[in-house]
């Protein structure tokens, strides 16, 4: 059992409410870094000083937040209305167990039963969903939950042979990888670890972190959707489970730096680490904000493929995870000023 | 300028892969600039120093062009792709593609021979590129390889027809203005930016770096003088547009008035521009860092974002003259 992944994915940290994740991460890293602090928006930044061989300032980013919900009604009819935080498909919501607020009040997202619904209702995307916390009227809810409470999905980390199922691999897998990097040997350069907030709602944390840290190079560690189940003939998957960590070239937010893309690929080849190119196209990571927060920063994203992304039950390959950490470590160790020096 | 335009529009430079264009521009500006720099995103800065009495001015033209990037190679060796910047799907059928490694291809679409489907416009994802491969294994293009729609430049009378006047013509105007600018009170940064077509990304970081007082983009604007053209007034050959407003920004009105006044004093024709769609690097430079007084010189361009964009040589010449007028005199806002 990967204890780090279990711990980090089972803690709740919906966008805007990352405190529990931040506290856990702080405890996980504090004996392995030279300094750490939380900034004004709630990012946890840690500095692992280098050996002094290189004057580069390198930042590695993973976001602490996960998708979730927020309560937006006072429950006068005994149920709670909610809004979504992050990209969530309504089709994935009904029947899911959730925890509301600090006290983790349990609830379930309800739907009209199959017995009572028409075929037309059943073939439509459900709207108007509510969280049921088992109260019959407002008085019974009173005090337990309030408008603006964050709502997290409940899902426990489970390993199934070569894979693991759980919530929030996006992006606690990245957080876990950074914890492992920080626990390793010093790098030739000062490494700033940025555990950032509010990625799923617009990447506010990364923008602030990059502006403050002003790195020379940044590497984003993400969990990347893998839609590789049997589907149409002769199409490429965004990424495939089990084919190794993926390297980003282009997405909606970022043209990942071609020099760094090449560098990461070369590190993978040199160390015989399997990797895949993440299919160019939609989506986005913190890389864009980091690149453009202030003066241009060369960025690249390395992703761990994860099936069923943005649902309460994602799936990753544990081999991919090992190779993801290995690749991030190797690519960082081999980073030099030359990697980002232009010949023209 | 015609020769330089030909050189630049026939260079490879989709968003994020502007190296070839930058090398060419760098060669052109090197003898005229006091300082040259390239930043980490690939923006090129050519600084012309002033006499110390003026402002810090940024002139921005983007080096990148709309392009595409391979997303899948089919079993038969055809290349699927997605767009870099806004590609109009109607322009794809039969177009030629040049990939980063020089590989040429031809675009077609799924079900191209079914007349019944002709009135439906498939998206970019329903097109493919034939590079002469017969299988995935012998296809020279790999997932992640960038490409551009390929065309040479042709000249007919005063009309220059080319695939990416947007915004190589702006680069040409920037280069030429630098060459002609004998003396200026201002520290003028000619910035040749990257990644405009995917969201003015290079310009934002460039403005953060320079922190200019005044930022002027030089970019194309759709000429509306065609059959049922854009609902705006912009005629090919009637002079550069002076930006009042577009979808992304309201120009600094004092700067816009000053630009108009300089045009009038020098007898340069111009057209006030109010653009309903699109924007330029000026949008990003206006609000980056501490902010700047921003405006734009817009070159009327027919058929923007197609394989055959058309500008008029007189508009190009007048844009250079206008830019030199603005830069060689004091700017009081
Ligand atoms: Zn994520
Ligand atoms: Zn343009």
């Amino acid at each position: 059992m990967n204890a780090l992944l279990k711990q980090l994915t089972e803690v709740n940290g919906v966008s805007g409410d990352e405190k529990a994740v931040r506290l856990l991460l702080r405890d996980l890293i504090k004996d392995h870094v030279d300094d750490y602090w939380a900034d004004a928006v709630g990012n946890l930044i840690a500095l692992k000083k280098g050996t002094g061989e290189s004057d580069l300032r390198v930042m590695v980013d993973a976001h602490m937040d996960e998708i979730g919900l927020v309560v937006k009604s006072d429950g006068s009819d005994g149920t709670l209305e909610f809004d979504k935080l992050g990209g969530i498909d309504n089709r994935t919501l009904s029947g899911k167990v959730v925890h509301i607020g600090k006290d983790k009040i349990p609830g379930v997202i309800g739907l009209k039963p199959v017995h009572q619904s028409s075929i037309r209702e059943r073939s439509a995307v459900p709207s108007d969903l509510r969280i049921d916390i088992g109260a019959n009227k407002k008085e019974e809810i009173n005090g337990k939950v309030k408008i603006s409470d964050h709502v997290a999905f409940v899902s426990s980390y489970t390993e199934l042979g070569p894979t693991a199922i759980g919530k929030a691999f996006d992006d606690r897998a990245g957080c876990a990888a950074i914890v492992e990097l920080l626990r390793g040997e010093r790098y030739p350069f000062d490494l700033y670890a940025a555990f950032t907030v509010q990625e799923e709602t617009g990447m506010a944390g990364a923008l602030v972190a990059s502006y403050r840290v002003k790195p020379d190079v940044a590497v984003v560690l993400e969990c990347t959707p893998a839609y590789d189940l049997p589907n149409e003939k002769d199409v490429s998957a965004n990424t495939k489970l089990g084919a190794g960590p993926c390297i980003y070239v282009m997405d909606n937010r970022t043209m990942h730096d071609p020099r760094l893309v090449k560098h990461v690929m070369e590190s993978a080849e040199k160390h015989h680490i399997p990797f895949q190119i993440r299919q160019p196209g939609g989506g986005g990571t913190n890389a864009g904000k980091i690149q453009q927060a202030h003066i241009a920063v060369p960025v690249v994203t390395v992703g761990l493929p994860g099936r069923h992304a943005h649902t309460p039950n994602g799936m990753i390959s544990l081999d991919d995870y090992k190779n993801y950490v290995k690749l991030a470590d190797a690519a960082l160790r081999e980073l030099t000023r030359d990697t980002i020096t232009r010949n023209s | 300028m015609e020769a330089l335009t030909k050189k630049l529009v026939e260079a490879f430079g989709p968003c994020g892969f502007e190296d070839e264009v930058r090398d060419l521009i760098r060669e052109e500006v090197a003898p005229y600039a006091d300082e040259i720099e390239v930043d980490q995103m690939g923006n090129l800065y050519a600084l012309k120093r002033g006499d110390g009495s003026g402002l810090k001015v940024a002139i921005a033209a983007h080096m990148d062009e709309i392009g595409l990037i391979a997303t899948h190679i089919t079993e038969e060796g055809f290349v699927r792709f997605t767009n870099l910047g806004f590609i109009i799907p109607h322009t794809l059928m039969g177009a030629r593609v040049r990939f980063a490694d020089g590989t040429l291809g031809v675009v077609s679409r799924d079900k191209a021979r079914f007349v019944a489907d002709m009135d439906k416009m498939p998206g970019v994802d329903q097109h493919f590129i034939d590079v002469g491969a017969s299988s995935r294994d012998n296809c020279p293009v790999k997932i992640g390889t960038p490409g551009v729609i390929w065309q040479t430049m042709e000249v007919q009378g005063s009309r220059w027809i080319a695939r990416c006047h947007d915004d190589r013509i702006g680069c040409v105007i920037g280069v030429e203005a630098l060459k002609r600018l004998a003396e200026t009170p201002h520290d003028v940064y000619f910035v040749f930016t990257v990644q405009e077509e995917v969201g003015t990304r290079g310009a934002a970081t460039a403005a953060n770096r320079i922190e200019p007082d005044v930022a002027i983009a030089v970019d194309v604007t759709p000429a509306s003088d065609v059959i049922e053209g854009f609902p705006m007034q912009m005629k090919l050959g009637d002079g550069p547009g002076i930006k009042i407003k577009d979808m992304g920004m309201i120009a600094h009105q004092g700067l816009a008035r000053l630009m108009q006044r300089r045009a009038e004093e020098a007898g340069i024709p111009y057209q006030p521009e109010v653009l309903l769609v699109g924007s330029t690097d000026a949008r990003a430079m206006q609000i980056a860092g501490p902010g700047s007084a921003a405006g734009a010189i817009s070159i009327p361009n027919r058929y923007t974002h197609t394989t055959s964009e058309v500008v008029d040589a007189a508009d190009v010449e007048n844009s250079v003259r206008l830019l030199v007028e603005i830069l060689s005199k004091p700017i009081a806002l």
Side-chain angles (χ1 to χ4, degrees):
Chain A
M1 178 73 77
N2 186 318
L4 195 56
L5 280 175
K6 180 174 169 64
Q7 254 184 309
L8 277 167
T9 55
E10 288 185 356
V11 67
N12 291 342
V14 172
S15 308
D17 185 31
E18 298 88 350
K19 188 174 176 188
V21 186
R22 184 170 57 243
L23 295 180
L24 172 60
L25 280 166
R26 186 194 63 189
D27 291 345
L28 291 169
I29 63 166
K30 66 177 193 290
D31 297 335
H32 307 275
V33 297
D34 297 289
D35 197 4
Y36 61 89
W37 61 93
D39 70 14
V41 292
N43 296 318
L44 173 64
I45 314 282
L47 167 61
K48 188 177 179 71
K49 287 214 172 102
T51 56
E53 286 159 70
S54 165
D55 65 346
L56 277 181
R57 206 176 155 85
V58 179
M59 185 169 104
V60 58
D61 162 284
H63 65 89
M64 294 189 287
D65 62 314
E66 65 189 287
I67 53 142
L69 312 170
V70 60
V71 176
K72 70 164 190 183
S73 75
D74 62 2
S76 37
D77 64 353
T79 63
L80 301 169
E81 286 178 55
F82 59 85
D83 258 340
K84 297 182 279 191
L85 293 174
I88 297 176
D89 183 337
N90 272 16
R91 291 175 302 172
T92 66
L93 284 178
S94 42
K96 300 300 188 297
V97 177
V98 295
H99 276 164
I100 306 163
K102 262 204 301 293
D103 299 328
K104 297 191 178 175
I105 305 298
V108 61
I109 301 172
L111 189 71
K112 200 171 183 181
V114 64
H115 315 74
Q116 269 90 38
S117 55
S118 67
I119 290 177
R120 185 188 289 172
E121 281 173 310
R122 291 201 297 275
S123 56
V125 177
S127 56
D128 244 1
L129 294 166
R130 302 288 182 100
I131 301 168
D132 181 357
I133 61 166
N136 285 317
K137 49 187 187 299
K138 191 177 170 184
E139 296 77 73
E140 293 178 42
I141 287 181
N142 210 6
K144 286 191 203 157
V145 300
K146 59 179 194 306
I147 293 176
S148 84
D149 272 352
H150 284 76
V151 180
F153 296 105
V154 176
S155 176
S156 57
Y157 176 86
T158 314
E159 290 184 356
L160 298 161
T163 63
I165 293 178
K167 74 170 176 70
F169 288 123
D170 175 9
D171 183 28
R172 302 294 159 64
C175 295
I178 295 182
V179 170
E180 296 203 37
L181 300 181
L182 293 175
R183 288 176 172 181
E185 297 286 306
R186 286 187 191 281
Y187 292 88
F189 40 75
D190 288 355
L191 181 70
Y192 289 82
F195 299 99
T196 50
V197 297
Q198 298 177 38
E199 191 271 351
E200 301 290 1
T201 49
M203 303 154 187
L207 180 73
V208 174
S210 175
Y211 193 92
R212 271 299 168 98
V213 173
K214 294 194 170 54
D216 297 316
V217 179
V219 177
V220 174
L221 297 180
E222 254 292 5
C223 184
T224 305
Y227 181 59
D228 59 343
L229 297 166
N231 50 40
E232 295 159 75
K233 189 179 153 282
D234 206 3
V235 296
S236 285
N238 186 46
T239 63
K240 282 196 196 98
L241 214 66
C246 68
I247 303 167
Y248 282 60
V249 176
M250 167 264 176
D251 61 43
N252 270 354
R253 300 255 176 188
T254 318
M255 301 303 302
H256 300 261
D257 196 292
R259 298 164 301 173
L260 291 178
V261 171
K262 184 161 162 270
H263 171 79
V264 179
M265 283 167 62
E266 284 169 359
S267 292
E269 275 154 12
K270 184 170 157 197
H271 297 276
H272 309 287
I273 304 168
F275 71 94
Q276 48 188 324
I277 294 295
R278 183 263 197 194
Q279 191 182 39
T285 74
N286 274 339
K289 291 283 193 217
I290 294 170
Q291 182 182 48
Q292 299 146 37
H294 187 237
I295 288 166
V297 177
V299 286
V300 69
T301 301
V302 177
L304 173 70
R307 283 185 184 155
H308 324 304
H310 284 207
T311 77
N313 291 289
M315 180 189 282
I316 59 162
S317 144
L318 292 166
D319 271 344
D320 285 348
Y321 174 75
K322 275 189 208 120
N323 286 320
Y324 172 63
V325 179
K326 229 163 114 182
L327 179 55
D329 182 58
L332 283 170
R333 288 201 186 280
E334 283 153 14
L335 201 60
T336 66
R337 181 78 49 195
D338 284 350
T339 318
I340 53 156
T341 302
R342 288 187 190 279
N343 319 318
S344 66
Chain B
M1 273 194 285
E2 187 185 308
L4 178 58
T5 306
K6 186 168 170 65
K7 199 152 76 168
L8 291 189
V9 296
E10 293 180 3
F12 179 88
C15 315
F17 303 91
E18 299 88 354
D19 304 35
E20 194 177 314
V21 183
R22 184 174 54 246
D23 289 349
L24 291 171
I25 295 177
R26 190 188 179 118
E27 234 175 80
E28 291 290 326
V29 296
Y32 302 91
D34 295 315
E35 252 173 63
I36 288 190
E37 265 187 295
V38 178
D39 73 15
Q40 280 297 356
M41 264 176 98
N43 295 307
L44 169 69
Y45 305 80
L47 168 63
K48 169 93 179 170
R49 276 201 196 288
D51 62 15
S53 69
L55 302 176
K56 206 193 284 179
V57 181
I59 304 299
H62 65 91
M63 297 187 288
D64 63 308
E65 60 183 295
I66 52 168
L68 51 88
I69 188 163
T71 56
H72 173 66
I73 315 300
T74 70
E75 282 156 14
E76 306 96 324
F78 295 112
V79 180
R80 293 281 191 190
F81 60 98
T82 190
N83 50 305
L84 294 175
F86 180 61
I87 283 188
I88 305 169
H90 302 69
T91 63
L92 285 172
M93 182 84 176
R96 291 181 193 184
V97 170
R98 193 186 130 199
F99 284 97
D101 65 348
T103 299
L104 282 176
V106 176
V107 189
S108 189
R109 57 183 248 202
D110 303 1
K111 298 186 186 168
R113 63 196 183 84
F114 293 98
V115 177
D117 288 323
M118 279 300 183
D119 57 342
K120 289 182 213 130
M121 191 58 235
V124 171
D125 60 340
Q126 287 166 61
H127 290 78
F128 58 85
I129 303 166
D130 179 352
V131 292
S134 59
S135 76
R136 187 175 292 158
D137 291 336
N138 68 22
C139 180
V141 174
K142 306 292 169 219
I143 291 177
T145 305
V148 297
I149 303 294
W150 183 242
Q151 267 292 354
T152 50
M153 172 166 145
E154 305 296 338
V155 173
Q156 184 159 261
S158 68
R159 300 284 157 86
W160 296 353
I161 307 164
R163 65 191 188 89
C164 60
H165 285 315
D166 181 8
D167 185 28
R168 303 290 158 71
I169 201 69
C171 296
V172 169
I173 290 163
V175 169
E176 187 66 20
L178 168 62
K179 289 182 181 174
R180 291 191 204 171
L181 188 62
E183 268 171 39
T184 171
H186 314 292
D187 282 348
V188 186
Y189 290 81
F190 290 88
V191 193
F192 301 92
T193 62
V194 297
Q195 300 187 32
E196 191 270 354
E197 298 287 0
V198 285
T200 57
R201 293 178 189 165
T205 60
N208 281 331
R209 185 186 177 100
I210 307 171
E211 298 191 347
D213 302 304
V214 173
I216 299 173
V218 185
D219 205 340
V220 301
T221 193
S224 59
D225 57 340
V226 292
I227 298 170
E228 296 190 36
F230 270 84
M232 67 188 285
Q233 281 182 42
M234 189 55 60
K235 260 182 104 168
L236 209 62
D238 272 12
I242 293 177
K243 175 99 60 200
I244 308 295
K245 175 192 183 312
D246 62 30
M247 210 171 82
M249 76 162 195
I250 298 165
H252 186 285
Q253 298 301 303
L255 178 63
R257 275 197 301 275
L258 177 127
M259 289 162 76
Q260 295 181 7
R261 205 162 59 238
R262 293 282 178 260
E264 282 156 16
E265 288 161 3
I268 301 166
Y270 72 90
Q271 313 180 63
E273 181 208 9
V274 176
L275 176 64
L276 299 177
V277 292
S279 194
T280 71
D281 275 340
R283 170 189 83 140
M285 299 187 109
Q286 185 176 46
I287 56 170
S292 63
I297 293 178
S298 302
I299 304 93
N301 183 34
R302 285 187 185 164
Y303 325 121
T304 301
H305 285 208
T306 74
T307 40
S308 296
E309 303 184 339
V310 182
V311 299
D312 192 281
D315 290 337
V316 178
E317 172 62 24
N318 284 323
S319 299
V320 176
R321 287 178 59 207
L322 175 58
L323 197 52
V324 172
E325 282 297 319
I326 294 164
L327 293 175
S328 53
K329 293 180 179 156
I331 299 175
L333 297 171

